[in-house]
Amino acid sequence: MGGMSGPHVHHEHSGHSLVKAARLALQESGEQWTEMRADVFAALAERERPASAYDLAESVSALRGKRVAPNSVYRILDLFVRTNLARRVESANAYLANSHPGCRHDCIFLICDSCGKAIHLDDDRLTGALIGAAREAGFADVRPVVELRGTCADCS
Ligand SMILES: [Zn+2]
Ligand SMILES: [Zn+2]
């Protein structure tokens, strides 16, 4: 995980394959893939912009045909982040599905200021250098949170 290891086989998932990979990763961490969790993940996975717990609660409410409280969604998102199924985009105060749930990376996010779309990059050499610099400064348990803001190719 993370680190400065060389290139490795890295599967980016989408659609059904992503849902399958997410279910597997959650079950491997000893958690159950409940219907509610599946619905929250589905609502998250269909978005290409980071979504807030409130936005997702609306989608899940529509999906289930009954009101789902943002708090319940928030707790599930928190679980997803802990189990590597989702990422929190700090500068947007929102969440994105992790496209590689079975694989630990310190993702780098590029967020468009104009349309809000988020693109993600994995560059272990870059995040490894940041971790190294933080360790040299005496930091332990370093977890890079790297978000770059700008204008995406569609908007520029
Ligand atoms: Zn990544
Ligand atoms: Zn854009």
PDB file of all heavy atoms in Angstrom, residues 105-145:
ATOM      1  N   HIS A 105      -4.190   3.064  -2.698  1.00  0.00           N
ATOM      2  CA  HIS A 105      -3.361   4.114  -3.287  1.00  0.00           C
ATOM      3  C   HIS A 105      -3.670   5.392  -2.550  1.00  0.00           C
ATOM      4  O   HIS A 105      -4.758   5.560  -2.034  1.00  0.00           O
ATOM      5  CB  HIS A 105      -3.728   4.356  -4.755  1.00  0.00           C
ATOM      6  CG  HIS A 105      -3.074   3.426  -5.703  1.00  0.00           C
ATOM      7  ND1 HIS A 105      -1.771   3.558  -6.110  1.00  0.00           N
ATOM      8  CD2 HIS A 105      -3.550   2.330  -6.321  1.00  0.00           C
ATOM      9  CE1 HIS A 105      -1.476   2.584  -6.938  1.00  0.00           C
ATOM     10  NE2 HIS A 105      -2.535   1.821  -7.083  1.00  0.00           N
ATOM     11  N   ASP A 106      -2.703   6.299  -2.549  1.00  0.00           N
ATOM     12  CA  ASP A 106      -2.989   7.636  -2.069  1.00  0.00           C
ATOM     13  C   ASP A 106      -3.382   8.430  -3.297  1.00  0.00           C
ATOM     14  O   ASP A 106      -2.531   8.910  -4.023  1.00  0.00           O
ATOM     15  CB  ASP A 106      -1.758   8.228  -1.388  1.00  0.00           C
ATOM     16  CG  ASP A 106      -1.381   7.413  -0.156  1.00  0.00           C
ATOM     17  OD1 ASP A 106      -2.264   7.197   0.692  1.00  0.00           O
ATOM     18  OD2 ASP A 106      -0.221   6.991  -0.057  1.00  0.00           O
ATOM     19  N   CYS A 107      -4.677   8.512  -3.563  1.00  0.00           N
ATOM     20  CA  CYS A 107      -5.154   9.128  -4.805  1.00  0.00           C
ATOM     21  C   CYS A 107      -4.896  10.626  -4.806  1.00  0.00           C
ATOM     22  O   CYS A 107      -4.920  11.275  -3.776  1.00  0.00           O
ATOM     23  CB  CYS A 107      -6.644   8.890  -4.981  1.00  0.00           C
ATOM     24  SG  CYS A 107      -7.099   7.157  -5.002  1.00  0.00           S
ATOM     25  N   ILE A 108      -4.650  11.130  -5.997  1.00  0.00           N
ATOM     26  CA  ILE A 108      -4.506  12.574  -6.206  1.00  0.00           C
ATOM     27  C   ILE A 108      -5.741  13.015  -6.985  1.00  0.00           C
ATOM     28  O   ILE A 108      -6.054  12.432  -8.015  1.00  0.00           O
ATOM     29  CB  ILE A 108      -3.227  12.866  -7.028  1.00  0.00           C
ATOM     30  CG1 ILE A 108      -1.986  12.390  -6.244  1.00  0.00           C
ATOM     31  CG2 ILE A 108      -3.138  14.339  -7.396  1.00  0.00           C
ATOM     32  CD1 ILE A 108      -0.722  12.342  -7.084  1.00  0.00           C
ATOM     33  N   PHE A 109      -6.446  14.003  -6.471  1.00  0.00           N
ATOM     34  CA  PHE A 109      -7.661  14.457  -7.148  1.00  0.00           C
ATOM     35  C   PHE A 109      -7.445  15.788  -7.848  1.00  0.00           C
ATOM     36  O   PHE A 109      -6.809  16.694  -7.309  1.00  0.00           O
ATOM     37  CB  PHE A 109      -8.806  14.608  -6.148  1.00  0.00           C
ATOM     38  CG  PHE A 109      -9.312  13.290  -5.635  1.00  0.00           C
ATOM     39  CD1 PHE A 109      -9.066  12.893  -4.331  1.00  0.00           C
ATOM     40  CD2 PHE A 109     -10.013  12.438  -6.465  1.00  0.00           C
ATOM     41  CE1 PHE A 109      -9.515  11.668  -3.863  1.00  0.00           C
ATOM     42  CE2 PHE A 109     -10.464  11.210  -6.008  1.00  0.00           C
ATOM     43  CZ  PHE A 109     -10.216  10.826  -4.702  1.00  0.00           C
ATOM     44  N   LEU A 110      -7.991  15.885  -9.068  1.00  0.00           N
ATOM     45  CA  LEU A 110      -8.035  17.143  -9.801  1.00  0.00           C
ATOM     46  C   LEU A 110      -9.501  17.546  -9.848  1.00  0.00           C
ATOM     47  O   LEU A 110     -10.336  16.761 -10.318  1.00  0.00           O
ATOM     48  CB  LEU A 110      -7.522  16.959 -11.234  1.00  0.00           C
ATOM     49  CG  LEU A 110      -6.177  16.256 -11.416  1.00  0.00           C
ATOM     50  CD1 LEU A 110      -5.842  16.157 -12.902  1.00  0.00           C
ATOM     51  CD2 LEU A 110      -5.077  17.024 -10.696  1.00  0.00           C
ATOM     52  N   ILE A 111      -9.821  18.703  -9.311  1.00  0.00           N
ATOM     53  CA  ILE A 111     -11.223  19.120  -9.216  1.00  0.00           C
ATOM     54  C   ILE A 111     -11.447  20.381 -10.028  1.00  0.00           C
ATOM     55  O   ILE A 111     -10.720  21.362  -9.878  1.00  0.00           O
ATOM     56  CB  ILE A 111     -11.614  19.344  -7.737  1.00  0.00           C
ATOM     57  CG1 ILE A 111     -11.376  18.056  -6.940  1.00  0.00           C
ATOM     58  CG2 ILE A 111     -13.070  19.773  -7.619  1.00  0.00           C
ATOM     59  CD1 ILE A 111     -10.871  18.313  -5.559  1.00  0.00           C
ATOM     60  N   CYS A 112     -12.458  20.341 -10.902  1.00  0.00           N
ATOM     61  CA  CYS A 112     -12.748  21.491 -11.764  1.00  0.00           C
ATOM     62  C   CYS A 112     -13.552  22.540 -10.993  1.00  0.00           C
ATOM     63  O   CYS A 112     -14.612  22.247 -10.452  1.00  0.00           O
ATOM     64  CB  CYS A 112     -13.518  21.046 -13.004  1.00  0.00           C
ATOM     65  SG  CYS A 112     -13.945  22.425 -14.081  1.00  0.00           S
ATOM     66  N   ASP A 113     -13.032  23.760 -10.972  1.00  0.00           N
ATOM     67  CA  ASP A 113     -13.713  24.868 -10.277  1.00  0.00           C
ATOM     68  C   ASP A 113     -14.981  25.275 -10.994  1.00  0.00           C
ATOM     69  O   ASP A 113     -15.876  25.866 -10.401  1.00  0.00           O
ATOM     70  CB  ASP A 113     -12.790  26.094 -10.212  1.00  0.00           C
ATOM     71  CG  ASP A 113     -11.812  25.998  -9.055  1.00  0.00           C
ATOM     72  OD1 ASP A 113     -12.148  25.353  -8.043  1.00  0.00           O
ATOM     73  OD2 ASP A 113     -10.715  26.572  -9.174  1.00  0.00           O
ATOM     74  N   SER A 114     -15.053  24.959 -12.301  1.00  0.00           N
ATOM     75  CA  SER A 114     -16.177  25.428 -13.086  1.00  0.00           C
ATOM     76  C   SER A 114     -17.354  24.448 -13.038  1.00  0.00           C
ATOM     77  O   SER A 114     -18.477  24.832 -12.747  1.00  0.00           O
ATOM     78  CB  SER A 114     -15.692  25.650 -14.522  1.00  0.00           C
ATOM     79  OG  SER A 114     -16.767  25.812 -15.382  1.00  0.00           O
ATOM     80  N   CYS A 115     -17.116  23.130 -13.281  1.00  0.00           N
ATOM     81  CA  CYS A 115     -18.239  22.179 -13.326  1.00  0.00           C
ATOM     82  C   CYS A 115     -18.249  21.230 -12.129  1.00  0.00           C
ATOM     83  O   CYS A 115     -19.202  20.474 -11.952  1.00  0.00           O
ATOM     84  CB  CYS A 115     -18.204  21.381 -14.624  1.00  0.00           C
ATOM     85  SG  CYS A 115     -16.859  20.203 -14.736  1.00  0.00           S
ATOM     86  N   GLY A 116     -17.209  21.241 -11.327  1.00  0.00           N
ATOM     87  CA  GLY A 116     -17.196  20.424 -10.114  1.00  0.00           C
ATOM     88  C   GLY A 116     -16.756  18.991 -10.327  1.00  0.00           C
ATOM     89  O   GLY A 116     -16.662  18.205  -9.394  1.00  0.00           O
ATOM     90  N   LYS A 117     -16.476  18.621 -11.598  1.00  0.00           N
ATOM     91  CA  LYS A 117     -16.050  17.251 -11.890  1.00  0.00           C
ATOM     92  C   LYS A 117     -14.705  16.961 -11.226  1.00  0.00           C
ATOM     93  O   LYS A 117     -13.849  17.835 -11.110  1.00  0.00           O
ATOM     94  CB  LYS A 117     -15.926  17.090 -13.413  1.00  0.00           C
ATOM     95  CG  LYS A 117     -15.600  15.681 -13.852  1.00  0.00           C
ATOM     96  CD  LYS A 117     -15.795  15.516 -15.350  1.00  0.00           C
ATOM     97  CE  LYS A 117     -14.804  16.352 -16.148  1.00  0.00           C
ATOM     98  NZ  LYS A 117     -15.139  16.376 -17.586  1.00  0.00           N
ATOM     99  N   ALA A 118     -14.535  15.723 -10.776  1.00  0.00           N
ATOM    100  CA  ALA A 118     -13.261  15.333 -10.174  1.00  0.00           C
ATOM    101  C   ALA A 118     -12.651  14.195 -10.971  1.00  0.00           C
ATOM    102  O   ALA A 118     -13.326  13.239 -11.331  1.00  0.00           O
ATOM    103  CB  ALA A 118     -13.466  14.917  -8.730  1.00  0.00           C
ATOM    104  N   ILE A 119     -11.384  14.324 -11.268  1.00  0.00           N
ATOM    105  CA  ILE A 119     -10.636  13.277 -11.974  1.00  0.00           C
ATOM    106  C   ILE A 119      -9.602  12.769 -10.971  1.00  0.00           C
ATOM    107  O   ILE A 119      -9.133  13.535 -10.141  1.00  0.00           O
ATOM    108  CB  ILE A 119      -9.942  13.873 -13.219  1.00  0.00           C
ATOM    109  CG1 ILE A 119     -10.987  14.309 -14.235  1.00  0.00           C
ATOM    110  CG2 ILE A 119      -8.975  12.875 -13.834  1.00  0.00           C
ATOM    111  CD1 ILE A 119     -10.401  15.086 -15.389  1.00  0.00           C
ATOM    112  N   HIS A 120      -9.277  11.487 -11.049  1.00  0.00           N
ATOM    113  CA  HIS A 120      -8.274  11.041 -10.093  1.00  0.00           C
ATOM    114  C   HIS A 120      -7.071  10.397 -10.745  1.00  0.00           C
ATOM    115  O   HIS A 120      -7.162   9.764 -11.778  1.00  0.00           O
ATOM    116  CB  HIS A 120      -8.943  10.234  -8.990  1.00  0.00           C
ATOM    117  CG  HIS A 120      -8.615   8.800  -8.958  1.00  0.00           C
ATOM    118  ND1 HIS A 120      -9.333   7.871  -9.621  1.00  0.00           N
ATOM    119  CD2 HIS A 120      -7.647   8.136  -8.300  1.00  0.00           C
ATOM    120  CE1 HIS A 120      -8.834   6.688  -9.394  1.00  0.00           C
ATOM    121  NE2 HIS A 120      -7.804   6.804  -8.592  1.00  0.00           N
ATOM    122  N   LEU A 121      -5.921  10.656 -10.169  1.00  0.00           N
ATOM    123  CA  LEU A 121      -4.649  10.145 -10.649  1.00  0.00           C
ATOM    124  C   LEU A 121      -4.015   9.311  -9.553  1.00  0.00           C
ATOM    125  O   LEU A 121      -4.174   9.611  -8.382  1.00  0.00           O
ATOM    126  CB  LEU A 121      -3.669  11.288 -10.933  1.00  0.00           C
ATOM    127  CG  LEU A 121      -4.032  12.380 -11.925  1.00  0.00           C
ATOM    128  CD1 LEU A 121      -2.941  13.439 -11.900  1.00  0.00           C
ATOM    129  CD2 LEU A 121      -4.162  11.793 -13.310  1.00  0.00           C
ATOM    130  N   ASP A 122      -3.302   8.274  -9.946  1.00  0.00           N
ATOM    131  CA  ASP A 122      -2.489   7.537  -8.994  1.00  0.00           C
ATOM    132  C   ASP A 122      -1.043   7.664  -9.417  1.00  0.00           C
ATOM    133  O   ASP A 122      -0.697   7.285 -10.525  1.00  0.00           O
ATOM    134  CB  ASP A 122      -2.881   6.050  -8.981  1.00  0.00           C
ATOM    135  CG  ASP A 122      -4.268   5.851  -8.399  1.00  0.00           C
ATOM    136  OD1 ASP A 122      -4.516   6.406  -7.321  1.00  0.00           O
ATOM    137  OD2 ASP A 122      -5.079   5.173  -9.028  1.00  0.00           O
ATOM    138  N   ASP A 123      -0.245   8.256  -8.581  1.00  0.00           N
ATOM    139  CA  ASP A 123       1.179   8.374  -8.849  1.00  0.00           C
ATOM    140  C   ASP A 123       1.908   8.131  -7.534  1.00  0.00           C
ATOM    141  O   ASP A 123       2.103   9.038  -6.733  1.00  0.00           O
ATOM    142  CB  ASP A 123       1.485   9.756  -9.423  1.00  0.00           C
ATOM    143  CG  ASP A 123       2.948   9.889  -9.850  1.00  0.00           C
ATOM    144  OD1 ASP A 123       3.806   9.159  -9.300  1.00  0.00           O
ATOM    145  OD2 ASP A 123       3.246  10.730 -10.711  1.00  0.00           O
ATOM    146  N   ASP A 124       2.254   6.864  -7.306  1.00  0.00           N
ATOM    147  CA  ASP A 124       2.871   6.490  -6.036  1.00  0.00           C
ATOM    148  C   ASP A 124       4.247   7.137  -5.845  1.00  0.00           C
ATOM    149  O   ASP A 124       4.709   7.283  -4.721  1.00  0.00           O
ATOM    150  CB  ASP A 124       2.996   4.961  -5.929  1.00  0.00           C
ATOM    151  CG  ASP A 124       1.633   4.304  -5.742  1.00  0.00           C
ATOM    152  OD1 ASP A 124       0.665   5.034  -5.429  1.00  0.00           O
ATOM    153  OD2 ASP A 124       1.535   3.080  -5.899  1.00  0.00           O
ATOM    154  N   ARG A 125       4.869   7.503  -6.977  1.00  0.00           N
ATOM    155  CA  ARG A 125       6.173   8.150  -6.870  1.00  0.00           C
ATOM    156  C   ARG A 125       5.995   9.541  -6.234  1.00  0.00           C
ATOM    157  O   ARG A 125       6.735   9.939  -5.348  1.00  0.00           O
ATOM    158  CB  ARG A 125       6.782   8.281  -8.271  1.00  0.00           C
ATOM    159  CG  ARG A 125       8.289   8.248  -8.334  1.00  0.00           C
ATOM    160  CD  ARG A 125       8.741   8.023  -9.773  1.00  0.00           C
ATOM    161  NE  ARG A 125       7.893   8.772 -10.701  1.00  0.00           N
ATOM    162  CZ  ARG A 125       8.191   9.983 -11.173  1.00  0.00           C
ATOM    163  NH1 ARG A 125       9.316  10.571 -10.834  1.00  0.00           N
ATOM    164  NH2 ARG A 125       7.367  10.607 -11.996  1.00  0.00           N
ATOM    165  N   LEU A 126       4.965  10.243  -6.701  1.00  0.00           N
ATOM    166  CA  LEU A 126       4.675  11.591  -6.212  1.00  0.00           C
ATOM    167  C   LEU A 126       4.214  11.557  -4.750  1.00  0.00           C
ATOM    168  O   LEU A 126       4.739  12.282  -3.900  1.00  0.00           O
ATOM    169  CB  LEU A 126       3.574  12.187  -7.098  1.00  0.00           C
ATOM    170  CG  LEU A 126       3.483  13.687  -7.245  1.00  0.00           C
ATOM    171  CD1 LEU A 126       4.807  14.262  -7.698  1.00  0.00           C
ATOM    172  CD2 LEU A 126       2.398  14.021  -8.271  1.00  0.00           C
ATOM    173  N   THR A 127       3.219  10.715  -4.448  1.00  0.00           N
ATOM    174  CA  THR A 127       2.726  10.672  -3.064  1.00  0.00           C
ATOM    175  C   THR A 127       3.785  10.081  -2.146  1.00  0.00           C
ATOM    176  O   THR A 127       3.896  10.476  -0.989  1.00  0.00           O
ATOM    177  CB  THR A 127       1.409   9.881  -2.962  1.00  0.00           C
ATOM    178  OG1 THR A 127       1.563   8.608  -3.573  1.00  0.00           O
ATOM    179  CG2 THR A 127       0.267  10.626  -3.631  1.00  0.00           C
ATOM    180  N   GLY A 128       4.613   9.163  -2.695  1.00  0.00           N
ATOM    181  CA  GLY A 128       5.716   8.603  -1.901  1.00  0.00           C
ATOM    182  C   GLY A 128       6.709   9.686  -1.499  1.00  0.00           C
ATOM    183  O   GLY A 128       7.235   9.678  -0.381  1.00  0.00           O
ATOM    184  N   ALA A 129       6.975  10.629  -2.418  1.00  0.00           N
ATOM    185  CA  ALA A 129       7.895  11.730  -2.129  1.00  0.00           C
ATOM    186  C   ALA A 129       7.320  12.619  -1.025  1.00  0.00           C
ATOM    187  O   ALA A 129       8.051  13.084  -0.136  1.00  0.00           O
ATOM    188  CB  ALA A 129       8.158  12.544  -3.387  1.00  0.00           C
ATOM    189  N   LEU A 130       5.996  12.831  -1.050  1.00  0.00           N
ATOM    190  CA  LEU A 130       5.348  13.650  -0.017  1.00  0.00           C
ATOM    191  C   LEU A 130       5.439  12.959   1.340  1.00  0.00           C
ATOM    192  O   LEU A 130       5.730  13.586   2.362  1.00  0.00           O
ATOM    193  CB  LEU A 130       3.880  13.898  -0.369  1.00  0.00           C
ATOM    194  CG  LEU A 130       3.624  14.822  -1.565  1.00  0.00           C
ATOM    195  CD1 LEU A 130       2.148  14.824  -1.925  1.00  0.00           C
ATOM    196  CD2 LEU A 130       4.093  16.245  -1.241  1.00  0.00           C
ATOM    197  N   ILE A 131       5.194  11.639   1.340  1.00  0.00           N
ATOM    198  CA  ILE A 131       5.270  10.877   2.587  1.00  0.00           C
ATOM    199  C   ILE A 131       6.699  10.945   3.142  1.00  0.00           C
ATOM    200  O   ILE A 131       6.905  11.178   4.332  1.00  0.00           O
ATOM    201  CB  ILE A 131       4.831   9.411   2.352  1.00  0.00           C
ATOM    202  CG1 ILE A 131       3.333   9.352   2.026  1.00  0.00           C
ATOM    203  CG2 ILE A 131       5.157   8.542   3.562  1.00  0.00           C
ATOM    204  CD1 ILE A 131       2.849   7.998   1.545  1.00  0.00           C
ATOM    205  N   GLY A 132       7.681  10.795   2.234  1.00  0.00           N
ATOM    206  CA  GLY A 132       9.086  10.864   2.648  1.00  0.00           C
ATOM    207  C   GLY A 132       9.419  12.204   3.280  1.00  0.00           C
ATOM    208  O   GLY A 132      10.078  12.273   4.325  1.00  0.00           O
ATOM    209  N   ALA A 133       8.934  13.288   2.659  1.00  0.00           N
ATOM    210  CA  ALA A 133       9.209  14.635   3.170  1.00  0.00           C
ATOM    211  C   ALA A 133       8.579  14.827   4.541  1.00  0.00           C
ATOM    212  O   ALA A 133       9.177  15.426   5.443  1.00  0.00           O
ATOM    213  CB  ALA A 133       8.677  15.677   2.191  1.00  0.00           C
ATOM    214  N   ALA A 134       7.340  14.298   4.708  1.00  0.00           N
ATOM    215  CA  ALA A 134       6.663  14.442   5.999  1.00  0.00           C
ATOM    216  C   ALA A 134       7.391  13.648   7.080  1.00  0.00           C
ATOM    217  O   ALA A 134       7.530  14.107   8.219  1.00  0.00           O
ATOM    218  CB  ALA A 134       5.215  13.975   5.867  1.00  0.00           C
ATOM    219  N   ARG A 135       7.872  12.452   6.727  1.00  0.00           N
ATOM    220  CA  ARG A 135       8.613  11.635   7.705  1.00  0.00           C
ATOM    221  C   ARG A 135       9.900  12.322   8.116  1.00  0.00           C
ATOM    222  O   ARG A 135      10.281  12.289   9.281  1.00  0.00           O
ATOM    223  CB  ARG A 135       8.915  10.262   7.124  1.00  0.00           C
ATOM    224  CG  ARG A 135       7.665   9.400   7.106  1.00  0.00           C
ATOM    225  CD  ARG A 135       7.998   7.947   6.851  1.00  0.00           C
ATOM    226  NE  ARG A 135       6.742   7.185   6.761  1.00  0.00           N
ATOM    227  CZ  ARG A 135       6.490   6.250   5.858  1.00  0.00           C
ATOM    228  NH1 ARG A 135       7.411   5.929   4.966  1.00  0.00           N
ATOM    229  NH2 ARG A 135       5.341   5.626   5.865  1.00  0.00           N
ATOM    230  N   GLU A 136      10.578  12.958   7.134  1.00  0.00           N
ATOM    231  CA  GLU A 136      11.802  13.687   7.453  1.00  0.00           C
ATOM    232  C   GLU A 136      11.508  14.829   8.410  1.00  0.00           C
ATOM    233  O   GLU A 136      12.358  15.218   9.208  1.00  0.00           O
ATOM    234  CB  GLU A 136      12.454  14.235   6.181  1.00  0.00           C
ATOM    235  CG  GLU A 136      13.456  13.258   5.591  1.00  0.00           C
ATOM    236  CD  GLU A 136      13.981  13.717   4.238  1.00  0.00           C
ATOM    237  OE1 GLU A 136      14.253  14.936   4.094  1.00  0.00           O
ATOM    238  OE2 GLU A 136      14.090  12.859   3.337  1.00  0.00           O
ATOM    239  N   ALA A 137      10.297  15.373   8.339  1.00  0.00           N
ATOM    240  CA  ALA A 137       9.900  16.451   9.246  1.00  0.00           C
ATOM    241  C   ALA A 137       9.400  15.889  10.575  1.00  0.00           C
ATOM    242  O   ALA A 137       8.893  16.628  11.418  1.00  0.00           O
ATOM    243  CB  ALA A 137       8.830  17.314   8.596  1.00  0.00           C
ATOM    244  N   GLY A 138       9.505  14.565  10.746  1.00  0.00           N
ATOM    245  CA  GLY A 138       9.171  13.946  12.021  1.00  0.00           C
ATOM    246  C   GLY A 138       7.734  13.473  12.145  1.00  0.00           C
ATOM    247  O   GLY A 138       7.291  13.126  13.244  1.00  0.00           O
ATOM    248  N   PHE A 139       6.991  13.429  11.024  1.00  0.00           N
ATOM    249  CA  PHE A 139       5.597  12.987  11.087  1.00  0.00           C
ATOM    250  C   PHE A 139       5.487  11.477  10.939  1.00  0.00           C
ATOM    251  O   PHE A 139       6.190  10.878  10.120  1.00  0.00           O
ATOM    252  CB  PHE A 139       4.776  13.660   9.978  1.00  0.00           C
ATOM    253  CG  PHE A 139       4.076  14.909  10.447  1.00  0.00           C
ATOM    254  CD1 PHE A 139       4.793  15.955  11.018  1.00  0.00           C
ATOM    255  CD2 PHE A 139       2.708  15.038  10.333  1.00  0.00           C
ATOM    256  CE1 PHE A 139       4.154  17.101  11.458  1.00  0.00           C
ATOM    257  CE2 PHE A 139       2.054  16.179  10.769  1.00  0.00           C
ATOM    258  CZ  PHE A 139       2.779  17.211  11.337  1.00  0.00           C
ATOM    259  N   ALA A 140       4.610  10.875  11.747  1.00  0.00           N
ATOM    260  CA  ALA A 140       4.320   9.446  11.625  1.00  0.00           C
ATOM    261  C   ALA A 140       2.899   9.270  11.099  1.00  0.00           C
ATOM    262  O   ALA A 140       2.118  10.224  11.092  1.00  0.00           O
ATOM    263  CB  ALA A 140       4.471   8.775  12.982  1.00  0.00           C
ATOM    264  N   ASP A 141       2.557   8.058  10.688  1.00  0.00           N
ATOM    265  CA  ASP A 141       1.216   7.735  10.174  1.00  0.00           C
ATOM    266  C   ASP A 141       0.767   8.753   9.124  1.00  0.00           C
ATOM    267  O   ASP A 141      -0.356   9.246   9.171  1.00  0.00           O
ATOM    268  CB  ASP A 141       0.180   7.707  11.316  1.00  0.00           C
ATOM    269  CG  ASP A 141       0.555   6.695  12.378  1.00  0.00           C
ATOM    270  OD1 ASP A 141       1.071   5.630  11.999  1.00  0.00           O
ATOM    271  OD2 ASP A 141       0.351   6.978  13.571  1.00  0.00           O
ATOM    272  N   VAL A 142       1.654   9.059   8.206  1.00  0.00           N
ATOM    273  CA  VAL A 142       1.367  10.095   7.220  1.00  0.00           C
ATOM    274  C   VAL A 142       0.385   9.587   6.169  1.00  0.00           C
ATOM    275  O   VAL A 142       0.505   8.476   5.668  1.00  0.00           O
ATOM    276  CB  VAL A 142       2.661  10.553   6.515  1.00  0.00           C
ATOM    277  CG1 VAL A 142       2.355  11.629   5.494  1.00  0.00           C
ATOM    278  CG2 VAL A 142       3.657  11.059   7.546  1.00  0.00           C
ATOM    279  N   ARG A 143      -0.603  10.392   5.894  1.00  0.00           N
ATOM    280  CA  ARG A 143      -1.643  10.048   4.918  1.00  0.00           C
ATOM    281  C   ARG A 143      -1.829  11.260   4.012  1.00  0.00           C
ATOM    282  O   ARG A 143      -2.408  12.259   4.399  1.00  0.00           O
ATOM    283  CB  ARG A 143      -2.925   9.733   5.702  1.00  0.00           C
ATOM    284  CG  ARG A 143      -4.156   9.464   4.911  1.00  0.00           C
ATOM    285  CD  ARG A 143      -5.315   9.272   5.895  1.00  0.00           C
ATOM    286  NE  ARG A 143      -5.475  10.425   6.773  1.00  0.00           N
ATOM    287  CZ  ARG A 143      -6.296  11.435   6.532  1.00  0.00           C
ATOM    288  NH1 ARG A 143      -7.028  11.458   5.453  1.00  0.00           N
ATOM    289  NH2 ARG A 143      -6.395  12.441   7.381  1.00  0.00           N
ATOM    290  N   PRO A 144      -1.276  11.217   2.791  1.00  0.00           N
ATOM    291  CA  PRO A 144      -1.381  12.393   1.932  1.00  0.00           C
ATOM    292  C   PRO A 144      -2.826  12.662   1.512  1.00  0.00           C
ATOM    293  O   PRO A 144      -3.555  11.736   1.164  1.00  0.00           O
ATOM    294  CB  PRO A 144      -0.556  12.022   0.697  1.00  0.00           C
ATOM    295  CG  PRO A 144       0.147  10.768   1.025  1.00  0.00           C
ATOM    296  CD  PRO A 144      -0.594  10.113   2.142  1.00  0.00           C
ATOM    297  N   VAL A 145      -3.230  13.910   1.592  1.00  0.00           N
ATOM    298  CA  VAL A 145      -4.513  14.350   1.049  1.00  0.00           C
ATOM    299  C   VAL A 145      -4.147  15.370  -0.014  1.00  0.00           C
ATOM    300  O   VAL A 145      -3.776  16.485   0.303  1.00  0.00           O
ATOM    301  CB  VAL A 145      -5.386  15.000   2.151  1.00  0.00           C
ATOM    302  CG1 VAL A 145      -6.674  15.545   1.559  1.00  0.00           C
ATOM    303  CG2 VAL A 145      -5.669  14.002   3.263  1.00  0.00           C
TER     304      VAL A 145
END
